[in-house]
Amino acid sequence: MRDPVVIESGQTYDRQFIEEWFGAGNQICPQTQQVLSHTILIPNHLVCTMISQWCTENGITLPQVENQDGDHVTNSEQKTFDEIFVKITSSSSSGERKQAIKDLRLLTKRNSEFRAVLEQRPDSIAQMILARSTPGLQNDPQVLEDMVTIILNFSIHDSNKKIIGDDSEAIQFLIWALKSGDMGSRSNSAAAIFTLSALDSNKEKIGELGAMDPLIDLLEHGSIIAKKDAASAIFNLCLLHANRSIATRSGIVDVAMRAIEDQSLVNESLAILALLSRNHEMVEIITEFNGTASMLRAIRESECKRSKENAMVVLFAICTYNRTKLKEVEADESINGSLALLAQTGTQRARRKASGILEKMKRTLHNRHCSC
């Protein structure tokens, strides 16, 4: 990879490849086959750093990646933005303000270079949010959705992530929309939080300001697109250890386990639980929600290799922290042979975890024979 990016499914691809994939009309993740609600690309800074370090250590020169942000803002674009923004903040006509907000939404969606204007006007979002409090705009759900989507569109531009993250008004506005908006506003708020959470500093701020509760509520009660946006945001936020505890206290395990049981959002829920399973206390909670049986079922029935892997990761953690669960796994394995099959055909990580549990079971059986 030269320019690693993350898509909604949580998978990382090289930017050129995945852009060609999406450009050909595909709306699914090549690896997981998950249907995607959006094709936003988030730079994977961790993998990018790993690639750079590897190249340095091995004496390889990595070709420079073209700037994807289109940082150059023309005078015409700056003038257009200023004209629209004056109408949003100063017009005496609520109808003209609403139209200007809609125009800004369309421009930030269609013109990637236009998003760079925010670097020249970093206080624009705070002023736009303040303008919403005026009569005629405050209680209009379409205005709320348009403003949320403007922030989402701006957040796609890499350099804007820190600008928006440093604006507490913007983050609080997104969280408020998550709680109070209609489904479109809530979904786009979750998508914006997903893109902003590419930065670790933003992950911390978003978690501290209380985004987890409304995101988990959206994961449970939202439309299918909104649920996917919420799951992506929760997963990204939980890459920061402190947010895993917040998510657990907010009931993510219960919601994710029910989503798996209902077969409504299996891939995304398994990815979140696999992330949480690194912590002993969280594994205990997963176990209390019949986690062993749910993971075994996912391993048997899921057609997605990544989901099988994530279920195997959770199951391995359960058996590591609670050895009494090995009997339940052993009973299932004697009937279905799922772990033996996965140890041969799964991803590298899944094979390793499956082999690890099979070895634990083998040692337990040996100890029983020795004690007889």
Side-chain angles (χ1 to χ4, degrees):
M1 291 188 184
R2 295 175 58 224
D3 188 9
V5 293
V6 182
I7 65 172
E8 182 191 8
S9 65
Q11 300 297 307
T12 296
Y13 298 98
D14 191 64
R15 184 187 292 272
Q16 181 179 353
F17 163 78
I18 199 64
E19 284 182 341
E20 290 175 358
W21 174 262
F22 289 146
N26 298 299
Q27 194 76 12
I28 62 173
C29 170
Q31 177 68 26
T32 67
Q33 299 299 298
Q34 172 186 330
V35 177
L36 306 175
S37 61
H38 60 73
T39 57
I40 296 170
L41 304 180
I42 308 297
N44 191 325
H45 298 294
L46 175 60
V47 173
C48 190
T49 300
M50 292 168 63
I51 293 171
S52 179
Q53 289 175 345
W54 186 90
C55 288
T56 300
E57 292 168 0
N58 290 274
I60 295 173
T61 301
L62 187 67
Q64 289 293 315
V65 177
E66 294 181 6
N67 184 1
Q68 300 292 331
D69 273 343
D71 287 331
H72 180 66
V73 181
T74 65
N75 290 335
S76 175
E77 288 165 339
Q78 189 72 70
K79 182 180 178 182
T80 299
F81 177 83
D82 289 342
E83 288 174 352
I84 292 174
F85 209 74
V86 165
K87 293 178 183 177
I88 293 174
T89 57
S90 304
S91 175
S92 58
S93 166
S94 62
E96 188 175 36
R97 288 191 178 202
K98 291 178 183 180
Q99 185 58 50
I101 292 168
K102 191 173 292 294
D103 291 343
L104 186 58
R105 172 179 177 170
L106 292 174
L107 276 171
T108 53
K109 176 184 178 180
R110 295 172 178 171
N111 188 343
S112 59
E113 293 183 357
F114 194 84
R115 299 170 194 147
V117 171
L118 191 64
E119 294 182 65
Q120 311 299 323
R121 302 285 190 274
D123 59 344
S124 298
I125 290 177
Q127 291 180 35
M128 179 182 71
I129 293 170
L130 181 62
R132 183 184 165 275
S133 62
T134 58
L137 272 65
Q138 190 169 18
N139 298 316
D140 189 323
Q142 186 59 56
V143 169
L144 176 60
E145 181 178 333
D146 288 340
M147 286 188 171
V148 165
T149 310
I150 288 168
I151 298 174
L152 167 61
N153 294 340
F154 273 131
S155 72
I156 297 170
H157 184 89
D158 231 10
S159 301
N160 289 342
K161 289 176 173 55
K162 187 176 188 309
I163 295 172
I164 298 172
D166 287 344
D167 184 347
S168 61
E169 289 290 330
I171 302 298
Q172 289 173 347
F173 178 71
L174 289 174
I175 294 172
W176 180 82
L178 265 177
K179 297 176 180 177
S180 309
D182 60 17
M183 195 53 64
S185 297
R186 295 174 71 194
S187 181
N188 285 349
S189 293
I193 287 172
F194 167 64
T195 62
L196 292 170
S197 61
L199 297 185
D200 283 346
S201 58
N202 286 347
K203 288 183 180 74
E204 184 175 2
K205 292 171 187 173
I206 293 168
E208 290 176 347
L209 287 170
M212 201 63 76
D213 277 341
L215 281 172
I216 292 173
D217 182 73
L218 187 62
L219 178 63
E220 183 174 15
H221 301 295
S223 65
I224 186 61
I225 292 176
K227 286 183 176 184
K228 287 179 178 290
D229 286 329
S232 298
I234 292 167
F235 181 87
N236 250 18
L237 290 173
C238 285
L239 291 172
L240 187 70
H241 187 269
N243 285 335
R244 295 176 204 168
S245 298
I246 296 173
T248 303
R249 290 195 300 270
S250 298
I252 184 58
V253 174
D254 182 17
V255 173
M257 290 297 293
R258 278 192 276 112
I260 293 170
E261 288 300 309
D262 296 342
Q263 298 289 298
S264 60
L265 215 67
V266 176
N267 298 339
E268 295 83 354
S269 298
L270 285 171
I272 292 170
L273 292 178
L275 195 58
L276 296 178
S277 69
R278 300 175 186 179
N279 180 279
H280 184 186
E281 294 180 0
M282 296 175 193
V283 173
E284 289 182 346
I285 297 173
I286 294 171
T287 305
E288 290 172 3
F289 280 98
N290 203 24
T292 308
S294 292
M295 295 309 113
L296 287 168
R297 177 186 173 190
I299 292 168
R300 287 195 308 270
E301 299 180 359
S302 177
E303 297 180 358
C304 172
K305 282 194 171 184
R306 189 63 62 188
S307 289
K308 286 180 181 288
E309 175 190 308
N310 285 327
M312 192 67 250
V313 167
V314 177
L315 186 63
F316 184 87
I318 290 172
C319 292
T320 298
Y321 292 124
N322 189 340
R323 290 187 174 264
T324 63
K325 292 298 176 180
L326 278 173
K327 290 184 178 180
E328 185 177 344
V329 176
E330 187 178 354
D332 183 271
E333 183 66 11
S334 66
I335 299 171
N336 299 298
S338 305
L339 301 192
L341 180 62
L342 196 61
Q344 297 296 321
T345 62
T347 65
Q348 183 178 9
R349 190 184 186 198
R351 293 197 304 270
R352 188 173 68 250
K353 297 292 185 180
S355 297
I357 291 184
L358 290 171
E359 183 60 32
K360 290 177 190 291
M361 289 164 51
K362 184 178 178 181
R363 287 198 301 268
T364 301
L365 183 61
H366 176 74
N367 292 337
R368 285 184 201 148
H369 287 160
C370 291
S371 62
C372 291

